[in-house]
Amino acid sequence: MSSHASEPSLARDDTAPVSLDLVPIELIAPRLKRVAAIAVLIGVVVGVIVGFFGPVWVGATVGAVIAVPTAASALLTLRRRIALQTGRIRSTGGLRSRHVDVTRAVAAELVVRSARVSEVSVRITDPDGSLAIPLALYTTDGGRELEILGLRRLADALTTSELVPAAAIASVLIEQLRAEARGAALPERPLFRAVELVRSEGRVPTTTLTDHEVAALLD
């Protein structure tokens, strides 16, 4: 579980982009590259074997069918990023990107996916589309939470919206920051309490918290 000593200073450059990647791509890049390399190797070996007993073009085709999908998927995952800059959140993944403008949000919701590894995310919708930003992943005794700077900047962005739900979610994120700063146990962290709330009511696999439930996370 990530923990932080203190909240970031308010004296910061709010115009600079900040990462909202819950799991930085740098942490999984070596594994993704290995997966791509192994897929290519298996494709080549199988292709050579098939080509040895039949036409070369058949071997090449079989090898490509085995290697390309897995290798391409792994390499495209390396491009996935979520970043916030001046109120706009951009998600880049694979061959396309999406974005939402928090200042023009028409809906803001906390979404919980309850499973062996549970996820809490905020879904923001503007007139042009919707985007979900993962905030935390939890198991029964640990997890990973969005880095403190990203969490703070996201809370700041939500406060610029005129939506009451956005302001409520911003308050939850600020309380989460405070809990992380003092090294609070999981049950004292609002995002983990969101998971516990959903689990206690047996709402699976994915549910959106009501405004009342979001407010209750601050109690």
Side-chain angles (χ1 to χ4, degrees):
M1 176 176 61
S2 61
S3 59
H4 313 281
S6 61
E7 292 187 27
S9 169
L10 295 179
R12 61 191 186 279
D13 182 5
D14 288 331
T15 63
V18 61
S19 172
L20 297 183
D21 291 324
L22 180 57
V23 180
I25 199 66
E26 292 77 11
L27 294 181
I28 59 174
R31 180 178 298 178
L32 290 173
K33 291 176 181 177
R34 283 197 299 272
V35 168
I38 291 171
V40 171
L41 179 61
I42 293 174
V44 169
V45 171
V46 173
V48 169
I49 294 174
V50 173
F52 182 80
F53 292 100
V56 174
W57 69 268
V58 173
T61 300
V62 171
V65 168
I66 293 174
V68 171
T70 301
S73 177
L75 295 176
L76 286 175
T77 301
L78 292 172
R79 298 187 66 248
R80 291 183 180 174
R81 300 285 191 281
I82 304 178
L84 168 66
Q85 184 175 22
T86 59
R88 291 171 63 88
I89 300 174
R90 178 177 294 276
S91 173
T92 302
L95 300 175
R96 66 181 187 134
S97 64
R98 295 181 296 157
H99 69 269
V100 294
D101 188 339
V102 183
T103 63
R104 300 172 59 228
V106 296
E109 303 162 300
L110 269 185
V111 181
V112 178
R113 179 177 57 81
S114 180
R116 188 173 62 86
V117 178
S118 298
E119 178 184 273
V120 184
S121 61
V122 57
R123 183 168 58 212
I124 300 172
T125 304
D126 71 5
D128 300 319
S130 181
L131 189 61
I133 301 93
L135 301 174
L137 294 172
Y138 291 117
T139 60
T140 54
D141 57 357
R144 184 174 185 87
E145 296 156 334
L146 186 63
E147 290 297 320
I148 193 167
L149 179 57
L151 203 62
R152 180 68 204 219
R153 289 277 292 275
L154 181 55
D156 290 345
L158 286 167
T159 60
T160 66
S161 170
E162 297 181 356
L163 292 174
V164 172
I169 293 173
S171 296
V172 169
L173 299 188
I174 290 171
E175 186 58 33
Q176 175 77 15
L177 283 167
R178 291 170 178 162
E180 290 186 31
R182 65 176 183 270
L186 282 178
E188 299 177 54
R189 302 188 179 208
L191 296 181
F192 184 76
R193 289 205 296 268
V195 172
E196 287 189 313
L197 184 156
V198 170
R199 285 176 176 167
S200 66
E201 297 186 359
R203 290 155 60 182
V204 293
T206 303
T207 188
T208 300
L209 300 191
T210 65
D211 293 344
H212 176 75
E213 289 169 335
V214 171
L217 298 178
L218 298 172
D219 294 341

Coordinates of all heavy atoms in Angstrom, one line a residue, residues 186-187 191-201:
L186 N -6.1 1.0 6.7 CA -7.0 0.9 5.6 C -8.4 1.3 6.0 O -9.1 2.1 5.3 CB -7.0 -0.5 5.0 CG -5.8 -0.8 4.1 CD1 -5.9 -2.3 3.6 CD2 -5.8 0.1 2.9
P187 N -9.0 0.8 7.1 CA -10.4 1.1 7.4 C -10.6 2.6 7.6 O -11.8 3.1 7.6 CB -10.6 0.3 8.7 CG -9.7 -0.8 8.6 CD -8.4 -0.2 8.0
L191 N -11.4 5.7 0.5 CA -11.5 4.9 -0.7 C -11.7 3.4 -0.4 O -12.4 2.7 -1.0 CB -10.3 5.1 -1.6 CG -10.2 6.5 -2.2 CD1 -9.0 6.6 -3.2 CD2 -11.5 6.9 -3.0
F192 N -11.0 3.0 0.7 CA -11.1 1.6 1.1 C -12.5 1.4 1.7 O -13.1 0.3 1.6 CB -10.0 1.2 2.1 CG -10.0 -0.2 2.5 CD1 -9.6 -1.2 1.7 CD2 -10.6 -0.6 3.8 CE1 -9.6 -2.5 2.1 CE2 -10.6 -1.9 4.1 CZ -10.1 -2.9 3.3
R193 N -13.0 2.4 2.5 CA -14.3 2.3 3.0 C -15.4 2.2 1.9 O -16.4 1.5 2.1 CB -14.6 3.5 3.9 CG -13.8 3.5 5.2 CD -14.6 4.3 6.3 NE -14.7 5.7 5.9 CZ -13.8 6.7 6.3 NH1 -12.7 6.3 7.0 NH2 -14.0 7.9 6.0
A194 N -15.1 2.8 0.8 CA -16.0 2.6 -0.4 C -16.1 1.1 -0.8 O -17.2 0.6 -1.1 CB -15.6 3.5 -1.5
V195 N -15.0 0.5 -0.8 CA -15.0 -1.0 -1.1 C -15.7 -1.8 -0.1 O -16.5 -2.7 -0.4 CB -13.5 -1.5 -1.3 CG1 -13.5 -3.0 -1.4 CG2 -12.8 -0.8 -2.4
E196 N -15.4 -1.5 1.2 CA -16.1 -2.2 2.3 C -17.6 -2.0 2.2 O -18.4 -3.0 2.5 CB -15.6 -1.7 3.7 CG -14.2 -2.2 4.0 CD -13.8 -1.8 5.4 OE1 -14.0 -0.7 5.8 OE2 -13.2 -2.7 6.1
L197 N -18.1 -0.8 1.9 CA -19.5 -0.5 1.8 C -20.1 -1.4 0.8 O -21.2 -2.0 1.0 CB -19.7 0.9 1.5 CG -21.1 1.5 1.4 CD1 -21.1 3.0 1.7 CD2 -21.8 1.2 0.1
V198 N -19.5 -1.5 -0.4 CA -20.0 -2.3 -1.5 C -20.0 -3.8 -1.1 O -21.0 -4.5 -1.4 CB -19.2 -2.1 -2.8 CG1 -19.6 -3.0 -3.9 CG2 -19.5 -0.6 -3.3
R199 N -18.9 -4.2 -0.5 CA -18.8 -5.7 -0.1 C -19.9 -6.0 0.9 O -20.5 -7.1 0.8 CB -17.4 -5.9 0.4 CG -16.3 -6.0 -0.6 CD -15.0 -6.2 0.0 NE -13.9 -6.4 -0.9 CZ -12.6 -6.3 -0.6 NH1 -12.3 -6.1 0.7 NH2 -11.7 -6.5 -1.5
S200 N -20.1 -5.1 1.9 CA -21.0 -5.4 2.9 C -22.5 -5.6 2.4 O -23.3 -6.3 3.0 CB -21.0 -4.3 4.0 OG -21.5 -3.1 3.5
E201 N -22.8 -4.9 1.3 CA -24.1 -5.0 0.7 C -24.2 -6.0 -0.4 O -25.2 -6.2 -1.0 CB -24.5 -3.6 0.2 CG -24.6 -2.6 1.3 CD -25.2 -1.3 0.8 OE1 -25.4 -1.1 -0.4 OE2 -25.3 -0.3 1.7

